[in-house]
Amino acid sequence: SQQGEEDPQALSIQEGENATMNCSYKTSINNLQWYRQNSGRGLVHLILIRSNEREKHSGRLRVTLDTSKKSSSLLITASRAADTASYFCARTRASGTYKYIFGTGTRLKVLA
Amino acid sequence: GAGVSQSPRYKVAKRGQDVALRCDPISGHVSLFWYQQALGQGPEFLTYFQNEAQLDKSGLPSDRFFAERPEGSVSTLKIQRTQQEDSAVYLCASSHNRGKGRNEQFFGPGTRLTVL
């Protein structure tokens, strides 16, 4: 079973709009990472944020982490059709530092 | 350089058949992970190797699942007497560090297993 959830489960937006997806978890974390998965393909790493960080940016991506609320969000600005994919957060627990625990993912569809 | 590769990409097995899935990690990566991803779900951890040592197999769903990495590089996930519930995508990932969770895991494209 998986700990935590992403929401929304599915999101459909127009090209150029921003997309925000959230990830919640239950146990203390060591770090949290966001991955993208295109249909039928492997997971591509987007951003890693450590438990002592609050915000990170990478191009059009912005990730925030609120450890008091045990939640993280991924913002994609000025979305493109190529951003259509499933997005997963994966975290390593503070007590066990190697295996990733994935959420259920957000399926993003960007309409041209 | 080459990423993580997996073979076969697709496998169809009849129920009861044994299957073997291969993972070639990134050269020099110490840590290797197997995950199982059911349709519409996120990946779930199966097992973890540090070099040739299998340090954690707590995620293997039954004793029909067996993984090995005899020389600390290529790994094989074997499933004996496959069942329909084994149908999933099996993902392999490798990491440079010794599994401390500070570095990213690089994922292969996965093997989609369908058990009829």
Side-chain angles (χ1 to χ4, degrees):
Chain A
S1 62
Q2 294 166 346
Q3 296 186 28
E5 299 287 334
E6 277 96 322
D7 80 272
Q9 290 189 343
L11 179 61
S12 185
I13 59 174
Q14 294 292 325
E15 206 167 28
E17 294 181 337
N18 295 342
T20 300
M21 51 205 87
N22 305 293
C23 166
S24 62
Y25 54 91
K26 298 178 182 176
T27 57
S28 297
I29 63 169
N30 183 37
N31 63 47
L32 185 145
Q33 317 207 24
W34 283 89
Y35 281 83
R36 181 183 69 223
Q37 185 176 43
N38 294 92
S39 178
R41 300 179 67 177
L43 290 153
V44 175
H45 180 260
L46 298 176
I47 291 184
L48 178 153
I49 187 166
R50 293 186 168 80
S51 58
N52 61 352
E53 297 176 315
R54 293 297 168 258
E55 187 170 312
K56 287 192 82 169
H57 297 254
S58 177
R60 295 184 295 112
L61 307 179
R62 173 179 160 242
V63 168
T64 61
L65 179 64
D66 187 335
T67 53
S68 66
K69 295 182 179 178
K70 291 186 168 59
S71 68
S72 174
S73 67
L74 170 67
L75 168 68
I76 304 173
T77 60
S79 63
R80 304 167 182 168
D83 295 328
T84 295
S86 291
Y87 291 82
F88 295 91
C89 70
R91 49 255 181 223
T92 55
R93 288 186 288 200
S95 60
T97 55
Y98 54 85
K99 56 184 164 184
Y100 284 3
I101 301 167
F102 285 85
T104 53
T106 293
R107 280 155 285 286
L108 173 66
K109 188 169 186 178
V110 180
L111 304 171
Chain B
V4 178
S5 61
Q6 293 185 245
S7 61
R9 291 292 312 277
Y10 303 91
K11 177 69 179 177
V12 178
K14 293 182 179 179
R15 193 174 60 154
Q17 186 179 352
D18 297 350
V19 298
L21 313 179
R22 177 187 169 107
C23 172
D24 284 80
I26 293 172
S27 178
H29 276 197
V30 170
S31 300
L32 185 144
F33 307 80
W34 284 98
Y35 293 84
Q36 180 190 59
Q37 185 175 21
L39 187 64
Q41 299 294 316
E44 292 206 17
F45 171 82
L46 293 178
T47 187
Y48 159 60
F49 290 86
Q50 188 180 104
N51 295 308
E52 69 279 2
Q54 188 175 21
L55 299 187
D56 188 338
K57 53 182 181 180
S58 62
L60 296 176
S62 77
D63 59 7
R64 295 185 297 103
F65 287 70
F66 172 76
E68 60 183 6
R69 194 187 185 198
E71 296 178 1
S73 56
V74 171
S75 177
T76 304
L77 176 67
K78 297 179 179 177
I79 309 173
Q80 298 176 323
R81 304 181 304 281
T82 52
Q83 304 294 315
Q84 285 187 323
E85 61 263 29
D86 300 335
S87 295
V89 175
Y90 290 86
L91 295 166
C92 176
S94 70
S95 175
H96 177 70
N97 67 317
R98 293 183 181 275
K100 291 298 184 183
R102 290 189 290 269
N103 290 52
E104 66 181 279
Q105 294 180 17
F106 294 85
F107 283 80
T111 295
R112 181 178 298 277
L113 173 66
T114 303
V115 181
L116 303 177

